[in-house]
Amino acid sequence: MPDPPKEDPFLENHHDEADAGAAFVLQSKGEWWHAGFHLTTAIVGPTILTLPYAFRGLGWGLGCFCLTVMGVVTFYSYYLMSKVLDHCETSGRRHIRFRELAADVLGSGLMFYFVIFIQTAINTGIGVGAILLAGECLQIIYSSISPNGSLQLYEFIAMVTVVMIVLSQLPTFHSLRHINFFSLLLSLGYTILVVAACIHAGKSKNAPPRDYSLEPKSSTRVFNAFTAISIIAAIYGNGILPEIQATLAPPATTGKMVKGLTMCYAVIFVTFYSAAISGYWVFGNKANSNILKSLLPDEGPALAPTWVLGLGVIFVLLQLFAIGLVYSQVAYEIMEKKSADVKQGLFSKRNLIPRLILRTIYMSFCGFMAAMLPFFGDINAVVGAIGFIPLDFVLPMLLYNITFKPSKTSLTYWINISIMVIFTGAGIMGAFSSIRKLVLDANKFKLFSNDVVD
């Protein structure tokens, strides 16, 4: 494995006394279960309510197959990345940022910029999506209470943005540990409620007709399939595992992360499959990009008890705040690496004022984009293709092969190469098909539309 060039300005040393991003935002004080809470919040979110929509482009067999394969691949991928981080720490180079890990192992300053670009796309995309879906949840609650109310979607998005601005002032990633534990419980809670609602809807007299057929046109069917794969990749991805591992108190070993990953994937198994299967079973190829909206159709009665759906919406709304906070941490770390003064206190006036201003600007930008471009399902697909697939399905295998140099005749080497090739191709096709759908949907809406386009 090549040593990082000493003169390379792109590689950051977290021991640098001026590195406030490391000292403040990425404090290393957590236990393995805290990492499990962070991972679960980063992966298991309301995006699982999009899984029935993803199944629309895949059908039963391919949908379940892709869901399972991506689960196995991502667990394996995160395990390999944790081993690389552990190896680097043992060698005296503890990396707390994805970008510095990639630049070190691959020996290229260009990888620094590549990872920063991809992580920024992910952070901003998830931030926009979280605010948009939270605004939609508020709109659903409002519409059920006041069907003829005058408030528009962008107004609910503004309300959510204000709350996010306040919560964003929590100074460190580690300070989110209690919020993220509550987030884990919320994900289990709304999954149980949504599954129960879907079963009730499927057995009620108002059950929608079920059609599981795919698009008859082969080219459209292929595009829909790759869009669906991108959505599933985005749902499984997180793109911030090094930053999560950085929150562990040293030594941040692979064993600690495996325990955290096991906790996370136990929740994934319960939530992903139950939400995908129950939602697609009821609605088939008419599933909405937010299954809650399918259960609360614009015309006709609700397909499940309104109190069940209302409680589910509230749980989703609350968890979205935690997700927005988790995915904003890399952005805050980048901003505060230079804007904060590590020699002064975390809550000193010198550091408090820039933090307040910068985080407010960042959240305001995400809120503005969410209000202007209400494309939740499509944003999810694009972020998955251009963001999560490279960071979570390709780079970890490359980093492992370069770091540990497995024999070219070994099974590990060829498994890693195969995963990289397959998911690089899937990412390219997914990016093309998801951007194509985004362009097609752009013709269906107006700026600051009152409806989220499916």
Side-chain angles (χ1 to χ4, degrees), residues 253-444:
T253 62
T254 300
K256 292 181 181 179
M257 284 302 292
V258 168
K259 290 179 182 178
L261 282 168
T262 302
M263 173 196 292
C264 174
Y265 274 75
V267 178
I268 284 174
F269 180 78
V270 172
T271 56
F272 280 36
Y273 284 91
S274 59
I277 292 171
S278 62
Y280 189 61
W281 170 69
V282 178
F283 299 105
N285 58 20
K286 301 299 180 184
N288 198 285
S289 64
N290 179 355
I291 203 64
L292 286 171
K293 291 192 72 175
S294 296
L295 292 163
L296 284 168
D298 293 333
E299 298 179 1
L303 299 178
T306 53
W307 72 267
V308 172
L309 298 177
L311 189 58
V313 170
I314 292 171
F315 284 1
V316 167
L317 174 63
L318 292 175
Q319 199 207 17
L320 283 164
F321 293 123
I323 292 170
L325 291 174
V326 164
Y327 276 98
S328 63
Q329 295 307 304
V330 174
Y332 298 158
E333 178 270 313
I334 291 172
M335 292 187 293
E336 293 176 28
K337 176 173 166 52
K338 298 299 182 183
S339 67
D341 184 353
V342 74
K343 296 179 181 179
Q344 301 193 42
L346 185 61
F347 296 101
S348 66
K349 184 178 179 180
R350 163 65 182 80
N351 292 327
L352 187 61
I353 292 176
R355 181 163 67 240
L356 176 63
I357 293 172
L358 290 172
R359 296 189 181 193
T360 298
I361 291 173
Y362 178 78
M363 279 299 172
S364 298
F365 172 77
C366 289
F368 178 77
M369 295 301 294
M372 187 171 67
L373 303 172
F375 282 150
F376 178 68
D378 292 349
I379 286 174
N380 215 21
V382 174
V383 169
I386 69 171
F388 289 118
I389 286 180
L391 291 191
D392 294 322
F393 294 86
V394 178
L395 268 179
M397 286 69 181
L398 178 62
L399 296 176
Y400 181 88
N401 279 1
I402 292 177
T403 300
F404 290 96
K405 296 181 174 60
S407 169
K408 292 185 179 180
T409 60
S410 67
L411 183 61
T412 299
Y413 177 84
W414 285 107
I415 287 175
N416 292 349
I417 291 295
S418 299
I419 291 172
M420 289 165 57
V421 171
I422 291 170
F423 281 96
T424 296
I428 293 170
M429 287 299 298
F432 179 77
S433 58
S434 56
I435 292 173
R436 169 183 172 271
K437 189 173 187 303
L438 187 65
V439 171
L440 292 175
D441 285 346
N443 296 323
K444 301 178 184 178

Side-chain angles (χ1 to χ4, degrees), residues 19 31 33-34 73 82 90 111 126 137 144 154 157 183 198 201 207 213 216 219 286 301 315 328 333 346 380 453:
D19 190 349
E31 303 293 341
W33 54 87
H34 297 144
V73 169
S82 182
T90 303
M111 289 306 301
I126 297 299
C137 288
S144 64
Y154 70 85
I157 289 173
S183 167
C198 286
S213 62
S219 60
K286 301 299 180 184
F315 284 1
S328 63
E333 178 270 313
L346 185 61
N380 215 21
V453 178

